[in-house]
Amino acid sequence: MNDTILRKKKLRVTPFRKEVLKVFLKNDHAISMQDIENELGDFDRITLYRTIKSFINKGVIHEIVMPGDIRKMALCDQVCDHDSGLHDHNHIHFQCKKCEEVFCVEIDKIPEIKIPGFQIEEQEIQAKGICEKCSGS
Amino acid sequence: MNDTILRKKKLRVTPFRKEVLKVFLKNDHAISMQDIENELGDFDRITLYRTIKSFINKGVIHEIVMPGDIRKMALCDQVCDHDSGLHDHNHIHFQCKKCEEVFCVEIDKIPEIKIPGFQIEEQEIQAKGICEKCSGS
DNA sequence: TTCATAGATGCAATATTGTTGCATTTGTAT
DNA sequence: ATACAAATGCAACAATATTGCATCTATGAA
């Protein structure tokens, strides 16, 4: 139930937030602002912006940015239930060159990068290629 | 000389382009659209957008996007002298949490990621932490 | 169950960012 | 020196995002 998700993240359960969350839940890939707007029937754009912002801050969803002005969002794992606005993810972001969708893909272990002189605290990997579904066809 | 860079990438050498290129050359870190606008005295914004677009297409600069609506650009290595619009880079993108600058940092070898079912063709690594300069202070 | 209140919503107005079409100017190859 | 494709600059516009404020509502406490 999406009520549970919201409550867990200390967000008030409102009809609008449930609607927005539903859009995320029914997609297995990352979605854009446009996608959400298209899926919501009637809505107030300002409220949507604010909803998205609080979802990100509370760790309900996370932002994915990729070259080419691609800005999408996807649900967070259970892991990130913190109020800090920081997100920990054990996955990489993958964009399919065929269907153009962006997915969060779990991987066993994120390789550690080391750079002399730099202290790396977080890292994120973005990849492009052909996704599972498009490989088959 | 920045004339050489432009000619090598098959771009006409115009005063404006030289100005923009100069801004990139004098920074050792990635810069934003805002940064460029601030450094250029008097300019036409539309021309700037178009200039940036052709610089990216011809491989003079590359785009760097990071979570938090960060969109910056930096000069490409000599390597990417192709007209395809694709860029090959042997570096990762690093953002310092202290000075907030974004750097292109060369690393020895980019680790290979493998995901069952997915064909990875390109990948990019983004990291956050403390940069060389800020570590010292 | 009712009530008070912090938080969420919706509207208006506005800011920021990026694009398109078109006339004019300019860099470059001949 | 010249012709022409490419670049520029202007006007108009489109898309995206933000702020302030009045109103409404979800939630915890009485």
Side-chain angles (χ1 to χ4, degrees):
Chain A
M1 210 58 212
N2 30 19
D3 289 27
T4 323
I5 297 178
L6 293 173
R7 268 186 238 283
K8 239 197 285 187
K9 308 288 171 137
K10 285 170 189 161
L11 282 166
R12 283 197 183 173
V13 180
T14 68
F16 187 74
R17 285 179 175 170
K18 290 206 277 186
E19 279 306 305
V20 175
L21 195 49
K22 207 188 289 177
V23 177
F24 280 99
L25 285 164
K26 84 172 173 196
N27 282 288
D28 67 334
H29 53 260
I31 54 180
S32 68
M33 212 58 178
Q34 258 305 322
D35 294 333
I36 301 171
E37 294 192 14
N38 293 341
E39 298 219 36
L40 293 173
D42 186 31
F43 70 101
D44 178 66
R45 191 201 281 265
I46 294 112
T47 307
L48 178 57
Y49 282 124
R50 286 194 271 228
T51 302
I52 292 298
K53 213 167 253 182
S54 45
F55 276 15
I56 293 175
N57 289 338
K58 298 295 174 118
V60 179
I61 60 174
H62 63 282
E63 231 186 325
I64 303 168
V65 284
M66 291 204 149
D69 275 318
I70 293 164
R71 184 173 168 252
K72 304 211 174 195
M73 291 150 291
L75 285 173
C76 287
D77 313 338
Q78 316 309 73
V79 202
C80 24
D81 40 8
H82 42 55
D83 295 60
S84 60
L86 286 165
H87 297 259
D88 285 315
H89 294 286
N90 257 351
H91 64 255
I92 71 164
H93 293 137
F94 181 94
Q95 186 182 35
C96 178
K97 288 182 175 178
K98 221 176 206 170
C99 65
E100 302 210 298
E101 297 294 358
V102 175
F103 304 90
C104 298
V105 187
E106 296 288 329
I107 61 171
D108 305 332
K109 66 167 214 301
I110 307 276
E112 284 261 333
I113 309 286
K114 287 211 199 303
I115 317 168
F118 289 77
Q119 298 168 31
I120 295 179
E121 294 173 6
E122 307 164 37
Q123 67 180 36
E124 195 186 306
I125 297 173
Q126 300 175 342
K128 293 196 186 196
I130 308 294
C131 79
E132 221 166 3
K133 287 171 214 156
C134 293
S135 292
S137 57
Chain B
M1 208 60 212
N2 29 20
D3 289 27
T4 324
I5 298 178
L6 292 174
R7 269 186 238 283
K8 237 196 286 186
K9 308 288 171 137
K10 285 170 189 162
L11 281 167
R12 284 195 182 176
V13 180
T14 69
F16 187 74
R17 284 178 176 173
K18 289 208 276 187
E19 280 305 306
V20 176
L21 195 50
K22 207 189 290 175
V23 177
F24 279 100
L25 286 164
K26 84 172 172 197
N27 282 289
D28 67 333
H29 53 259
I31 54 181
S32 67
M33 211 61 179
Q34 259 305 323
D35 294 333
I36 302 171
E37 295 192 12
N38 293 341
E39 298 219 35
L40 294 173
D42 186 30
F43 70 100
D44 179 65
R45 216 151 52 89
I46 293 112
T47 307
L48 178 56
Y49 281 122
R50 286 194 271 227
T51 301
I52 292 299
K53 214 168 253 184
S54 45
F55 277 16
I56 292 175
N57 289 338
K58 297 295 174 121
V60 179
I61 60 174
H62 64 282
E63 230 187 326
I64 303 168
V65 285
M66 290 207 153
D69 273 318
I70 294 163
R71 183 172 170 254
K72 304 209 173 196
M73 291 151 291
L75 287 173
C76 287
D77 315 338
Q78 317 308 75
V79 201
C80 24
D81 40 9
H82 42 57
D83 296 60
S84 61
L86 285 167
H87 298 259
D88 285 316
H89 295 286
N90 257 351
H91 64 255
I92 70 163
H93 294 136
F94 182 94
Q95 186 182 35
C96 177
K97 288 183 177 181
K98 221 176 206 169
C99 65
E100 301 210 298
E101 297 295 0
V102 174
F103 305 89
C104 298
V105 187
E106 296 288 329
I107 63 170
D108 306 331
K109 65 166 216 301
I110 307 275
E112 284 259 335
I113 308 285
K114 287 211 199 305
I115 316 169
F118 290 77
Q119 298 169 30
I120 294 179
E121 295 174 6
E122 307 164 36
Q123 67 181 38
E124 193 186 307
I125 298 174
Q126 302 173 341
K128 294 197 183 194
I130 308 294
C131 78
E132 221 164 0
K133 288 170 210 153
C134 293
S135 292
S137 57

